[in-house]
Coordinates of all heavy atoms in Angstrom, one line a residue:
F19 N 2.2 20.2 -17.0 CA 1.1 21.1 -17.3 C 1.4 22.5 -17.3 O 1.0 23.4 -18.1 CB -0.1 20.8 -16.3 CG -1.0 19.7 -16.6 CD1 -1.2 18.8 -15.6 CD2 -1.5 19.4 -17.9 CE1 -2.1 17.6 -15.9 CE2 -2.3 18.3 -18.1 CZ -2.6 17.4 -17.1
Q22 N 2.8 23.8 -20.5 CA 1.8 23.7 -21.5 C 0.9 24.9 -21.6 O 0.4 25.3 -22.6 CB 1.0 22.4 -21.4 CG 0.1 22.1 -22.5 CD -0.3 20.7 -22.6 OE1 0.3 20.0 -23.4 NE2 -1.3 20.2 -21.8
C23 N 0.6 25.5 -20.5 CA -0.4 26.6 -20.4 C 0.0 27.8 -21.3 O -0.9 28.2 -22.1 CB -0.6 27.1 -19.0 SG -1.2 25.8 -17.8
A25 N 1.8 27.8 -24.0 CA 1.7 27.4 -25.3 C 0.3 27.3 -25.8 O -0.1 27.7 -27.0 CB 2.4 26.0 -25.5
L26 N -0.6 26.9 -25.0 CA -2.0 26.8 -25.3 C -2.6 28.3 -25.5 O -3.4 28.5 -26.4 CB -2.8 26.1 -24.2 CG -2.5 24.6 -24.1 CD1 -3.3 24.0 -22.9 CD2 -2.7 23.8 -25.4
Q27 N -2.1 29.2 -24.6 CA -2.6 30.6 -24.7 C -2.1 31.2 -26.1 O -2.9 31.8 -26.8 CB -1.9 31.4 -23.6 CG -2.3 32.9 -23.7 CD -3.8 33.2 -23.4 OE1 -4.2 32.7 -22.4 NE2 -4.4 34.0 -24.2
Q29 N -1.5 29.5 -28.8 CA -2.3 28.9 -30.0 C -3.6 29.6 -30.0 O -4.2 29.9 -31.2 CB -2.5 27.5 -29.6 CG -1.2 26.6 -29.9 CD -1.5 25.2 -29.6 OE1 -2.5 24.6 -30.1 NE2 -0.7 24.6 -28.7
L30 N -4.3 29.9 -28.9 CA -5.6 30.5 -28.9 C -5.5 32.0 -29.5 O -6.3 32.4 -30.3 CB -6.2 30.5 -27.6 CG -7.0 29.3 -27.2 CD1 -7.5 29.4 -25.7 CD2 -8.2 29.1 -28.1
L34 N -7.5 33.0 -32.7 CA -8.6 34.0 -32.6 C -8.3 35.3 -33.2 O -9.2 35.9 -33.8 CB -8.9 34.2 -31.1 CG -9.4 32.9 -30.3 CD1 -9.7 33.2 -28.9 CD2 -10.7 32.3 -31.0
G41 N -18.4 33.4 -30.2 CA -17.5 32.3 -29.7 C -16.1 32.7 -29.4 O -15.6 32.3 -28.4
N44 N -16.2 34.8 -26.1 CA -16.2 33.9 -24.9 C -14.9 33.2 -24.7 O -14.5 33.0 -23.6 CB -17.4 32.9 -25.1 CG -18.7 33.5 -25.0 OD1 -18.9 34.5 -24.4 ND2 -19.7 32.8 -25.6
A45 N -14.3 32.8 -25.7 CA -13.0 32.1 -25.7 C -11.9 33.0 -25.1 O -11.1 32.5 -24.3 CB -12.6 31.5 -27.0
K46 N -11.9 34.2 -25.5 CA -10.9 35.2 -25.0 C -11.1 35.4 -23.4 O -10.1 35.4 -22.7 CB -11.0 36.5 -25.7 CG -10.5 36.4 -27.2 CD -10.7 37.7 -27.9 CE -10.2 37.5 -29.4 NZ -10.4 38.8 -30.1
V47 N -12.3 35.5 -23.0 CA -12.6 35.6 -21.6 C -12.1 34.3 -20.8 O -11.4 34.4 -19.8 CB -14.1 35.9 -21.3 CG1 -14.4 35.8 -19.8 CG2 -14.5 37.2 -21.9
M48 N -12.5 33.2 -21.4 CA -12.0 31.9 -20.8 C -10.5 31.7 -20.7 O -10.0 31.2 -19.7 CB -12.7 30.7 -21.5 CG -14.1 30.6 -21.2 SD -14.8 29.0 -21.9 CE -16.0 29.6 -23.0
A49 N -9.9 32.2 -21.8 CA -8.4 32.1 -21.8 C -7.8 33.0 -20.7 O -6.8 32.6 -20.2 CB -7.9 32.5 -23.2
K50 N -8.4 34.2 -20.5 CA -7.8 35.0 -19.4 C -8.0 34.3 -18.0 O -7.1 34.3 -17.2 CB -8.6 36.3 -19.4 CG -8.2 37.3 -20.4 CD -8.9 38.6 -20.3 CE -8.6 39.5 -21.5 NZ -9.3 40.8 -21.4
D51 N -9.2 33.6 -17.9 CA -9.4 32.8 -16.6 C -8.4 31.7 -16.5 O -7.8 31.4 -15.5 CB -10.8 32.3 -16.6 CG -11.9 33.4 -16.5 OD1 -11.6 34.5 -16.2 OD2 -13.0 33.0 -16.8
A52 N -8.1 31.1 -17.7 CA -7.1 30.0 -17.7 C -5.8 30.4 -17.3 O -5.0 29.8 -16.5 CB -7.1 29.3 -19.1
M53 N -5.4 31.6 -17.8 CA -4.1 32.1 -17.5 C -4.0 32.5 -16.0 O -2.9 32.3 -15.3 CB -3.7 33.3 -18.3 CG -2.3 33.9 -18.1 SD -0.9 32.6 -18.2 CE -0.9 32.3 -19.9
L55 N -5.5 30.9 -13.6 CA -5.3 29.6 -13.0 C -3.9 29.1 -13.1 O -3.3 28.7 -12.1 CB -6.3 28.6 -13.6 CG -7.8 28.7 -13.3 CD1 -8.6 27.8 -14.1 CD2 -8.0 28.4 -11.7
K60 N -2.5 26.3 -10.6 CA -3.5 25.3 -10.8 C -3.5 24.9 -12.3 O -4.4 25.2 -13.1 CB -4.9 25.8 -10.4 CG -5.0 26.3 -9.0 CD -6.4 26.8 -8.6 CE -6.4 27.2 -7.1 NZ -7.7 27.8 -6.8
H61 N -2.5 24.2 -12.7 CA -2.2 23.9 -14.0 C -3.1 23.0 -14.7 O -3.5 23.2 -15.9 CB -0.8 23.4 -14.2 CG 0.3 24.4 -13.6 ND1 0.4 25.7 -14.2 CD2 1.0 24.4 -12.5 CE1 1.3 26.4 -13.5 NE2 1.7 25.6 -12.5
A62 N -3.6 21.9 -14.0 CA -4.6 21.0 -14.6 C -5.9 21.7 -14.8 O -6.5 21.5 -15.9 CB -4.7 19.8 -13.7
E63 N -6.3 22.6 -13.9 CA -7.5 23.4 -14.1 C -7.3 24.3 -15.2 O -8.3 24.6 -16.0 CB -7.9 24.1 -12.8 CG -8.3 23.2 -11.7 CD -8.6 24.0 -10.4 OE1 -9.2 25.0 -10.4 OE2 -8.1 23.5 -9.3
S64 N -6.2 24.9 -15.4 CA -5.9 25.9 -16.4 C -6.0 25.2 -17.8 O -6.6 25.7 -18.7 CB -4.5 26.4 -16.3 OG -4.2 27.3 -17.3
V65 N -5.4 24.0 -18.0 CA -5.5 23.3 -19.2 C -7.0 22.9 -19.6 O -7.4 23.0 -20.7 CB -4.6 22.0 -19.2 CG1 -4.9 21.1 -20.4 CG2 -3.1 22.4 -19.0
A66 N -7.7 22.6 -18.5 CA -9.1 22.2 -18.8 C -9.9 23.5 -19.2 O -10.8 23.4 -20.1 CB -9.8 21.6 -17.5
K67 N -9.6 24.6 -18.7 CA -10.3 25.8 -19.1 C -9.8 26.3 -20.5 O -10.7 26.7 -21.3 CB -9.8 26.9 -18.1 CG -10.5 28.3 -18.4 CD -12.1 28.2 -18.2 CE -12.5 28.4 -16.8 NZ -13.9 28.7 -16.6
Y68 N -8.6 26.0 -20.9 CA -8.2 26.2 -22.2 C -8.9 25.3 -23.2 O -9.3 25.8 -24.3 CB -6.6 26.0 -22.5 CG -5.8 27.2 -22.0 CD1 -4.9 27.1 -20.9 CD2 -6.0 28.5 -22.6 CE1 -4.1 28.2 -20.6 CE2 -5.2 29.6 -22.2 CZ -4.3 29.4 -21.2 OH -3.6 30.5 -20.8
D69 N -9.2 24.1 -22.8 CA -10.0 23.2 -23.7 C -11.4 23.7 -23.8 O -11.9 23.6 -24.9 CB -10.0 21.8 -23.0 CG -8.7 21.0 -23.1 OD1 -7.9 21.3 -24.1 OD2 -8.5 20.1 -22.3
D70 N -12.0 24.2 -22.8 CA -13.3 24.8 -22.9 C -13.3 26.0 -23.8 O -14.2 26.2 -24.6 CB -13.8 25.2 -21.5 CG -14.1 24.1 -20.6 OD1 -14.2 22.9 -21.1 OD2 -14.2 24.3 -19.3
A71 N -12.2 26.9 -23.7 CA -12.2 28.0 -24.6 C -12.0 27.6 -26.0 O -12.7 28.3 -26.9 CB -11.0 28.9 -24.1
A72 N -11.2 26.7 -26.3 CA -11.1 26.2 -27.6 C -12.3 25.6 -28.2 O -12.7 25.9 -29.4 CB -9.9 25.1 -27.7
K73 N -13.1 24.9 -27.4 CA -14.3 24.4 -27.9 C -15.3 25.4 -28.2 O -16.0 25.4 -29.1 CB -14.9 23.4 -26.7 CG -16.1 22.6 -27.2 CD -16.7 21.7 -26.1 CE -15.7 20.6 -25.9 NZ -16.3 19.6 -24.9
A74 N -15.4 26.5 -27.3 CA -16.3 27.6 -27.5 C -16.0 28.3 -28.8 O -16.9 28.8 -29.5 CB -16.2 28.6 -26.3
A75 N -14.7 28.4 -29.2 CA -14.3 29.1 -30.5 C -14.2 28.2 -31.7 O -14.0 28.6 -32.8 CB -13.0 29.8 -30.2
G76 N -14.4 26.9 -31.4 CA -14.3 26.0 -32.6 C -12.8 25.7 -33.0 O -12.5 25.6 -34.2
V77 N -11.9 25.8 -32.1 CA -10.5 25.7 -32.4 C -9.9 24.4 -31.8 O -10.3 24.0 -30.7 CB -9.7 26.9 -31.7 CG1 -8.2 26.8 -31.8 CG2 -10.2 28.3 -32.3
K78 N -9.0 23.8 -32.5 CA -8.4 22.6 -32.0 C -7.0 23.0 -31.5 O -6.1 23.6 -32.2 CB -8.2 21.6 -33.1 CG -7.6 20.3 -32.6 CD -7.7 19.2 -33.7 CE -6.8 18.1 -33.2 NZ -7.4 16.9 -33.0
L79 N -6.7 22.6 -30.3 CA -5.4 22.9 -29.7 C -4.5 21.7 -29.7 O -4.9 20.5 -29.6 CB -5.5 23.2 -28.2 CG -6.4 24.5 -27.9 CD1 -6.5 24.7 -26.4 CD2 -5.7 25.8 -28.5
E80 N -3.2 21.9 -30.0 CA -2.2 20.9 -30.1 C -1.5 20.9 -28.7 O -0.9 21.9 -28.3 CB -1.1 21.2 -31.1 CG -1.7 21.2 -32.5 CD -2.2 19.8 -33.0 OE1 -1.5 18.8 -32.6 OE2 -3.2 19.8 -33.7
K81 N -1.6 19.7 -28.0 CA -0.9 19.6 -26.7 C 0.3 18.9 -26.7 O 0.5 17.9 -27.5 CB -1.9 18.9 -25.7 CG -3.1 19.8 -25.5 CD -4.0 19.1 -24.4 CE -5.3 19.8 -24.2 NZ -6.2 19.2 -23.3
K82 N 1.2 19.1 -25.8 CA 2.4 18.4 -25.6 C 2.1 17.0 -25.1 O 1.1 16.9 -24.2 CB 3.4 19.1 -24.6 CG 3.8 20.4 -25.1 CD 4.7 21.0 -24.0 CE 5.1 22.4 -24.4 NZ 5.9 23.0 -23.3

Side-chain angles (χ1 to χ4, degrees):
F19 281 130
Q22 185 156 265
C23 299
L26 296 175
Q27 178 70 49
Q29 288 179 50
L30 276 175
L34 297 177
N44 288 335
K46 288 177 183 179
V47 170
M48 286 188 240
K50 285 182 184 178
D51 294 342
M53 186 51 72
L55 289 167
K60 299 177 180 180
H61 304 293
E63 292 175 44
S64 176
V65 170
K67 184 64 85 169
Y68 279 120
D69 286 338
D70 292 342
K73 188 180 291 185
V77 173
K78 182 174 170 112
L79 297 176
E80 298 292 325
K81 294 183 183 174
K82 296 177 186 177

